Amino acid sequence: MTDFSTLAVHGGYNANRNDDAVSVPIYASAAFDLENADRGRDLAAGEISGFEYSRVANPTVDALERRLAALEGGVGAVAVSSGMAAVSYALMCAGEGGGRIIAPTNLYGASVDALGDFLPQFGIHADFVKDINDLHEIESLIGPATRAIFAETVANPNTAITDIRPLADLAHRHGLALILDNTVPTPYLLRPIEFGADIVVHSTTKGITGHGNAIGGVIVDAGRFDWANGRFLQFTRPEQVIADIDGNRRSFSGAFGSEAFIRRIRVKYLRTFGAVQSPFNAYLQLIGLETLPQRVARQVETATAIAGHLEHTPHVVSVNYSGLPDSPYHALAGKYFPRGVGQILSFKVEGGADRVRRILDGVKLFSYVPNIGDARSLIVDPANITHREVPESYRKAAGVSDDLIRLSIGLEDAGDLMADLDRAIAGAYGE
């Protein structure tokens, strides 16, 4: 098997097919020459692979999709314009036609809003649980309309870890798909498909790109789930859009088998709703991917050191980082994350929101930014920014309160970052 670091540089790209360009070219073209009538007909019918229109597929974006599918161990991927597009498309594709999704309350704020308030307007509803690892609670919610279980592999900002293997086994016993958001760890730290996940989504804006210069998302299909098991009628219904060259309607499961989900994402969701990844953003993400292992390894090392330092810092009440020995998720960290749990951590301070504001305004190296996974270290108050729209009861269950600060650790010197936090915290308390 090719090593992860090698795939991060070379996966999904053949220079010989691109005029020997060593770096993936930016194909800034809206459309592509169909060459002749027969080839154009076969391309439109999906009988052969190739490029015709960049709303559906583009060579630069295709290289990114192939590389990410290889890194996650999937059969295919679709890159989209943002992480929320990836989350929304995956959930809609699974829940289409009145399905229900089981999910925890400690999701990213926009995901909670999508499941709890927006997708119900389209007939897709959520059943929320407090603890995604409470299999009894989850099983009690499974009904005829349940389609999938959705969770984050590492929750943001409290770094709670999903126990993937038993959750996947439970889902599959009931014919449900397991959809996981793997944004925080990136595939370098965790490949959920190896533990039973069926669909993996990312905000590639974060650690995958790694430099805060491009927005993007991706959906990766493991290619193992039976979408024709009776719960997902949208996959067995014949559709005109994938009729064969003689005009005979086909179903996605019948036409594409194990790739039915990712093909439906591309043909129905990307093609229709149009949240297209731009070739230039795809190029930036490909460049970021080349250094993913080195970046994340360094960030994990520094994040672990800073989390340990904060445990002994005056005025810090508690630290959330699953990589710490006293974390309630430490055993799961050992099970799933031999390379570490990531660059995100959070901590609570004495005195509430007023002290938090003073700390935010007092740091010099940390940038006050709602992003994560950047080469720069970032700081934010989740209650006011990333989780503002989350219902108060859900925020409390996830540990998001006015006294919480989240850090995303970058590539700066660990000592300099610790000194910056120490000065800001001391200054916030008049010391």
Side-chain angles (χ1 to χ4, degrees):
M1 179 179 175
T2 306
D3 183 78
F4 187 96
S5 297
T6 302
L7 284 175
V9 176
H10 296 284
Y13 179 67
N14 188 328
N16 294 335
R17 298 175 185 172
N18 292 272
D19 293 327
D20 298 317
V22 175
S23 185
V24 179
I26 301 172
Y27 283 89
S29 182
F32 301 87
D33 194 338
L34 302 178
E35 298 181 13
N36 58 68
D38 287 343
R39 184 174 180 274
R41 180 195 60 186
D42 291 346
L43 275 171
E47 298 292 335
I48 62 174
S49 61
F51 304 98
E52 52 179 320
Y53 196 58
S54 281
R55 192 179 81 240
V56 179
N58 172 281
T60 311
V61 180
D62 178 71
L64 175 66
E65 291 168 343
R66 291 177 183 275
R67 189 164 299 178
L68 288 171
L71 292 175
E72 281 286 11
V75 297
V78 171
V80 291
S81 60
S82 73
M84 278 312 302
V87 170
S88 299
Y89 281 9
L91 296 179
M92 293 179 75
C93 190
E96 186 180 323
R100 304 190 71 88
I101 311 291
I102 297 173
T105 56
N106 65 345
L107 297 172
Y108 172 60
S111 296
V112 172
D113 180 60
L115 279 167
D117 191 58
F118 189 54
L119 291 183
Q121 309 307 312
F122 298 86
I124 300 169
H125 295 268
D127 294 302
F128 285 104
V129 297
K130 291 183 178 180
D131 181 3
I132 197 62
N133 295 330
D134 186 342
L135 301 184
H136 295 293
E137 183 182 8
I138 291 171
E139 191 161 29
S140 71
L141 293 173
I142 297 174
T146 308
R147 304 281 185 79
I149 299 171
F150 174 64
E152 294 169 357
T153 54
V154 173
N156 169 12
N158 67 359
T159 75
I161 295 173
T162 296
D163 195 353
I164 302 172
R165 176 63 72 186
L167 190 63
D169 291 343
L170 172 63
H172 296 156
R173 282 200 306 272
H174 291 274
L176 308 179
L178 179 59
I179 304 173
L180 293 179
D181 185 333
N182 197 36
T183 296
V184 171
T186 78
Y188 175 67
L189 298 179
L190 176 69
R191 288 157 52 99
I193 288 172
E194 294 179 350
F195 298 97
D198 301 298
I199 305 296
V200 176
V201 299
H202 285 271
S203 171
T204 53
T205 312
K206 312 301 193 298
I208 284 175
T209 299
H211 297 93
N213 54 11
I215 299 289
V218 73
I219 302 159
V220 182
D221 188 350
R224 296 190 301 243
F225 190 77
D226 180 14
W227 298 100
N229 68 10
R231 284 188 180 266
F232 305 87
L233 299 183
Q234 66 271 38
F235 288 95
T236 55
R237 181 180 65 245
E239 300 199 40
Q240 180 61 44
V241 72
I242 54 169
D244 63 24
I245 57 177
D246 295 322
N248 301 310
R249 296 189 177 204
R250 299 178 293 176
S251 70
F252 276 87
S253 60
F256 303 117
S258 62
E259 296 185 18
F261 188 91
I262 204 66
R263 293 296 191 107
R264 188 173 181 83
I265 288 287
R266 185 178 301 282
V267 174
K268 298 293 284 190
Y269 285 87
L270 184 66
R271 179 175 173 270
T272 305
F273 290 133
V276 179
Q277 173 72 258
S278 81
F280 182 67
N281 278 4
Y283 171 80
L284 292 175
Q285 290 167 56
L286 284 161
I287 297 302
L289 266 176
E290 292 178 356
T291 58
L292 176 65
Q294 294 79 16
R295 282 189 289 103
V296 174
R298 169 67 180 271
Q299 289 167 333
V300 166
E301 180 182 5
T302 303
T304 304
I306 289 176
H309 176 75
L310 286 169
E311 283 194 306
H312 305 287
T313 299
H315 308 296
V316 172
V317 175
S318 61
V319 179
N320 299 313
Y321 189 63
S322 296
L324 291 173
D326 58 352
S327 167
Y329 296 96
H330 185 67
L332 288 179
K335 178 179 179 180
Y336 293 108
F337 294 94
R339 292 171 166 166
V341 297
Q343 70 278 76
I344 307 304
L345 63 113
S346 59
F347 62 99
K348 293 186 176 183
V349 296
E350 299 170 348
D354 180 63
R355 302 294 181 176
V356 167
R357 282 193 294 270
R358 294 185 188 185
I359 294 169
L360 295 175
D361 292 342
V363 291
K364 302 301 181 185
L365 287 180
F366 283 85
S367 299
Y368 184 31
V369 172
N371 195 21
I372 60 173
D374 202 326
R376 302 157 193 79
S377 290
L378 314 174
I379 190 169
V380 78
D381 46 341
N384 287 327
I385 307 298
T386 59
H387 288 66
R388 179 192 57 80
E389 71 267 44
V390 176
E392 183 179 1
S393 61
Y394 290 8
R395 287 204 307 268
K396 288 183 178 179
V400 177
S401 51
D402 290 341
D403 58 354
L404 183 75
I405 295 173
R406 185 194 72 189
L407 304 178
S408 174
I409 303 303
L411 299 178
E412 303 93 339
D413 178 76
D416 290 340
L417 293 173
M418 291 179 196
D420 191 37
L421 288 169
D422 288 347
R423 283 190 299 267
I425 293 172
Y429 294 89
E431 298 172 0

